[in-house]
Amino acid sequence: MDTIIYSAVVSACEKGGKWWESLQLLREMADCCVEMDTITYNAVVSACEKGGQWSQAVQVLRAMADCRVEMDTITYSAAVSACEKGGECLQALLLLRE
């Protein structure tokens, strides 16, 4: 499978509230050396946000930085929202300062 197909499946997981599955797909992409782009990562961060998994959302954000994948407004918005929903306002503020 290629990036577009994986991204579509990750996006479906995000829409279905399947945050764990989206993380598993991200790992599978890395294991299979499939390029992960901003769209893919954004869907995973959003899935974590919708699933109330703020720490996972922040970890995915960090992985993006480590892999030098460009983060955009959607990335930060979903991560900040995940922190807010998890009661982690300090973490949300730290993300906004990046």
Side-chain angles (χ1 to χ4, degrees), residues 15-31:
K15 287 175 181 38
K18 304 289 186 185
W19 65 271
W20 178 253
E21 289 81 352
S22 70
L23 287 171
Q24 292 300 92
L25 285 165
L26 197 65
R27 288 184 187 103
E28 185 177 313
M29 290 176 77
D31 291 346

Side-chain angles (χ1 to χ4, degrees), residues 51-95:
Q53 302 298 316
W54 72 269
S55 64
Q56 294 292 331
V58 171
Q59 286 181 19
V60 173
L61 192 84
R62 300 288 177 242
M64 286 180 79
D66 291 345
C67 294
R68 292 181 170 79
V69 175
E70 183 178 343
M71 293 176 244
D72 60 15
T73 304
I74 295 168
T75 312
Y76 282 104
S77 177
V80 167
S81 179
C83 292
E84 180 267 325
K85 288 179 180 177
E88 295 293 327
C89 293
L90 180 59
Q91 182 64 51
L93 288 171
L94 291 172
L95 290 175

